[in-house]
Amino acid sequence: MSALTVKTVLTSDRPVLDASADVQISIRDLDVHYGANHAVRDVTFDVPRQAVTALIGPSGCGKSTVLRSINRMNDLIPSARVEGEIRYHGVNINDPAIDPVIVRRNIGMVFQKPNPFPKSIYDNVAWGAKINGHKGNMDELVESCLRRAAIWEEVKDKLKESGLSLSGGQQQRLCIARALANDPDVILMDEPASALDPISTLKIEDLMRELARNYTIVVVTHNMQQAARVSDRTVFFSLNDQRQGVLIEAGATADMFTNPRDQRTEDYITGRFG
Amino acid sequence: MTAVRQLFQYELDALRERVVTMGSMVDKALARAVDALRTLDVNLAREVVKNDLDINRYRWETEDEATRVIATQAPLAGDLRAVISVFSIVTDLERMGDHAVSIARYVIDTAAEPPLKKLVDLPRMAEIGREMLRDSLAAFVQGDVDAANRIITRDDEVDALFEQVSRELLTYMLADPMTIDRATRLIAVGHNLERVGDRVENICERVIYAATGAVETPA
């Protein structure tokens, strides 16, 4: 299990919680600053295992910042400072003892714009596994990842062609296959379909539902209908009076989109603000 | 609240207006059916039967319109519940129109027979049912949960009158078996009016659902 890799970097006196519980990631009192800007304030929620969690909210409310915190991508921004706990398999990934590269191997990410490497389709998938010292059969790994990303049938006869030769939707699925090659158990998606046409979008959405059988998915989306279609849980963020991103409401998607508890959620998802 | 989604708001208002219009059509049908019953006016009864086609057509047009609003506006949360409620309410209204038709058909079928008794409680049931109907439509437009809850309690009055009518007609049947056919059919008229109260109760439950998302029947 890949998560063991994370655990091995911990000293023995740190607690390791029950990794079989329904909660995959537990976020507690998360604060993110960019320099003097307090971008996200006091965010607490749980990400359920093998389910799709959608993060929604108006522009600038911090949902992408929260997403990036989950695999320490904010470390790459020099002015960013992250406080609070993000527990994954029972360990706090913000612990200085944790290697962020290992975190990102376990918690993969797919971005808004498909960004395949300027390499062959095959190498796009194999590359990460190669540098991580994959010892098994590479052909099998590549095929397996492309199949799980629902793109194998479309590319199996042109694996040596450039990943950039594919359509936008295919490129995005290739990027998902590439993420799967690192054997993560969580995949973060930052508006993964916003640059795609409607058919490609629906394919990505179908894929998300399929992947959720084995992976935990957290997706940021501006598309309310997409959040309603693909996610099991929805977390709504907004801005407080100090223009800081705060969590307003989290709950089962079916409830959030038919009967949200908070008037601010109602106003946002019915398109009356934001 | 900023003035966004004006088109949707306009379309939702138009849907609500259609519900009120259909409610008026049904109210009129019930009034005429009971008038025909009281006065044994076969022509009026025939008109009720004929006009029910308009009610049915209006129901389908309203459902089409609500379907279009869902397809084009993709409403969510309270907006979605409001549109979903329209589907449910027009179904209840359409069935209330059918109750009016059943009463009218009774008049058409039995007008030649001597009246069994002077009708007092049945028109009273219709009166209360129609009041409930009009009040429920006002509650729907205003999203008035308190009013909806109050209207629901009035269904007990309709039920009590129906029980009284049934008991009274039973005594007729016991006293003179020759009245069994007419009395049984009159009980069926009462049953139709009793169902009007039940359907208004459904409408009120939808008013509560649209406003709050609650689906439980109030105690």
Side-chain angles (χ1 to χ4, degrees):
Chain A
M1 181 67 202
S2 55
L4 291 175
T5 326
V6 174
K7 289 175 191 167
T8 54
V9 301
L10 299 172
T11 57
S12 59
D13 61 337
R14 285 193 172 83
V16 175
L17 300 181
D18 177 14
S20 68
D22 291 339
V23 173
Q24 175 89 65
I25 294 168
S26 185
I27 298 172
R28 293 290 176 273
D29 310 319
L30 180 71
D31 281 83
V32 184
H33 303 255
Y34 294 119
N37 175 26
H38 194 163
V40 169
R41 187 185 188 101
D42 203 17
V43 164
T44 292
F45 68 98
D46 288 334
V47 175
R49 187 181 306 279
Q50 290 174 359
V52 179
T53 299
L55 311 186
I56 64 168
S59 295
C61 70
K63 54 194 184 299
S64 288
T65 295
V66 169
L67 187 81
R68 285 197 302 270
S69 301
I70 296 175
N71 71 347
R72 287 187 57 175
M73 291 289 276
N74 286 322
D75 289 17
L76 305 172
I77 301 169
S79 64
R81 182 160 53 90
V82 180
E83 294 163 357
E85 271 194 1
I86 299 181
R87 289 205 165 262
Y88 164 71
H89 287 278
V91 301
N92 180 10
I93 62 157
N94 286 336
D95 191 312
I98 298 282
D99 180 353
V101 174
I102 295 173
V103 171
R104 288 176 209 138
R105 201 177 293 160
N106 287 269
I107 304 177
M109 191 149 194
V110 176
F111 297 88
Q112 180 175 2
K113 202 166 173 297
N115 57 350
F117 303 130
K119 291 171 175 292
S120 72
I121 293 166
Y122 184 98
D123 285 341
N124 258 279
V125 181
W127 182 77
K130 261 183 216 161
I131 63 165
N132 287 329
H134 178 69
K135 297 283 193 298
N137 183 320
M138 192 60 82
D139 290 352
E140 281 178 9
L141 176 73
V142 169
E143 179 177 341
S144 157
C145 292
L146 289 169
R147 279 190 189 281
R148 277 179 280 160
I151 193 178
W152 171 251
E153 291 301 325
E154 292 160 66
V155 301
K156 65 182 179 189
D157 298 323
K158 50 180 178 182
L159 293 173
K160 296 297 169 201
E161 288 181 23
S162 168
L164 297 171
S165 68
L166 300 172
S167 72
Q170 288 172 325
Q171 286 186 16
Q172 193 62 301
R173 280 178 284 146
L174 177 62
C175 292
I176 291 171
R178 184 178 67 189
L180 298 180
N182 287 325
D183 192 25
D185 55 7
V186 178
I187 305 169
L188 310 177
M189 299 185 174
D190 195 352
E191 298 187 54
S194 64
L196 305 180
D197 64 80
I199 300 295
S200 303
T201 295
L202 292 175
K203 280 187 184 166
I204 295 288
E205 290 178 6
D206 284 349
L207 177 57
M208 287 164 72
R209 290 307 322 166
E210 182 61 32
L211 290 172
R213 294 154 70 104
N214 299 303
Y215 300 88
T216 297
I217 294 176
V218 186
V219 58
V220 164
T221 179
H222 273 120
N223 182 331
M224 291 301 104
Q225 295 298 326
Q226 181 171 74
R229 281 193 296 265
V230 302
S231 71
D232 303 286
R233 280 181 73 77
T234 298
V235 184
F236 171 58
F237 296 89
S238 192
L239 291 159
N240 64 11
D241 293 341
Q242 288 84 49
R243 308 286 299 165
Q244 297 160 337
V246 290
L247 188 153
I248 302 295
E249 183 172 350
T253 296
D255 295 336
M256 291 279 280
F257 283 90
T258 57
N259 194 16
R261 292 190 302 273
D262 196 290
Q263 186 60 42
R264 288 167 292 182
T265 315
E266 171 101 18
D267 288 347
Y268 179 71
I269 67 173
T270 57
R272 286 180 171 78
F273 99 99
Chain B
M1 189 184 294
T2 49
V4 290
R5 299 219 71 183
Q6 281 179 336
L7 176 63
F8 173 73
Q9 200 53 53
Y10 171 80
E11 292 186 341
L12 186 57
D13 287 346
L15 273 180
R16 288 194 175 113
E17 215 171 291
R18 289 191 71 93
V19 169
V20 172
T21 301
M22 187 173 166
S24 302
M25 292 162 86
V26 170
D27 183 39
K28 194 170 163 188
L30 286 167
R32 287 176 152 197
V34 175
D35 272 353
L37 176 70
R38 202 167 35 212
T39 58
L40 297 176
D41 184 338
V42 174
N43 288 333
L44 189 57
R46 288 211 172 97
E47 216 170 296
V48 171
V49 175
K50 182 167 150 278
N51 290 346
D52 190 52
L53 298 175
D54 294 336
I55 293 175
N56 294 348
R57 189 166 48 243
Y58 202 81
R59 176 257 183 109
W60 292 119
E61 286 170 4
T62 305
E63 284 202 1
D64 270 357
E65 195 53 28
T67 303
R68 192 191 60 73
V69 169
I70 287 179
T72 57
Q73 296 286 347
L76 289 169
D79 293 340
L80 177 62
R81 297 197 305 271
V83 180
I84 293 296
S85 296
V86 168
F87 282 99
S88 173
I89 291 173
V90 295
T91 303
D92 276 312
L93 288 175
E94 190 272 331
R95 293 294 293 131
M96 287 161 80
D98 291 345
H99 294 313
V101 167
S102 296
I103 296 167
R105 286 199 197 285
Y106 167 85
V107 175
I108 294 165
D109 293 347
T110 62
E113 299 170 18
L116 190 62
K117 65 186 277 293
K118 186 171 173 355
L119 302 179
V120 179
D121 290 333
L122 290 174
R124 178 71 191 131
M125 281 176 77
E127 206 175 295
I128 297 170
R130 289 178 52 219
E131 273 173 25
M132 289 171 67
L133 170 60
R134 291 192 295 269
D135 290 349
S136 73
L137 294 172
F140 170 68
V141 170
Q142 289 154 15
D144 190 339
V145 173
D146 292 339
N149 276 315
R150 280 197 304 275
I151 297 161
I152 285 172
T153 61
R154 292 205 70 188
D155 189 41
D156 292 345
E157 295 176 44
V158 180
D159 290 347
L161 280 169
F162 179 51
E163 213 177 296
Q164 193 172 307
V165 169
S166 301
R167 267 200 315 269
E168 190 187 358
L169 287 168
L170 192 62
T171 60
Y172 276 86
M173 292 190 268
L174 289 170
D176 178 5
M178 292 297 287
T179 64
I180 287 178
D181 183 49
R182 278 176 294 166
T184 308
R185 293 172 78 171
L186 215 44
I187 288 176
V189 168
H191 180 63
N192 274 290
L193 293 171
E194 189 264 332
R195 293 296 291 145
V196 166
D198 292 344
R199 293 194 182 279
V200 174
E201 195 174 328
N202 291 347
I203 292 173
C204 291
E205 284 167 8
R206 282 295 160 184
V207 171
I208 295 166
Y209 168 74
T212 67
V215 291
E216 297 92 333
T217 308

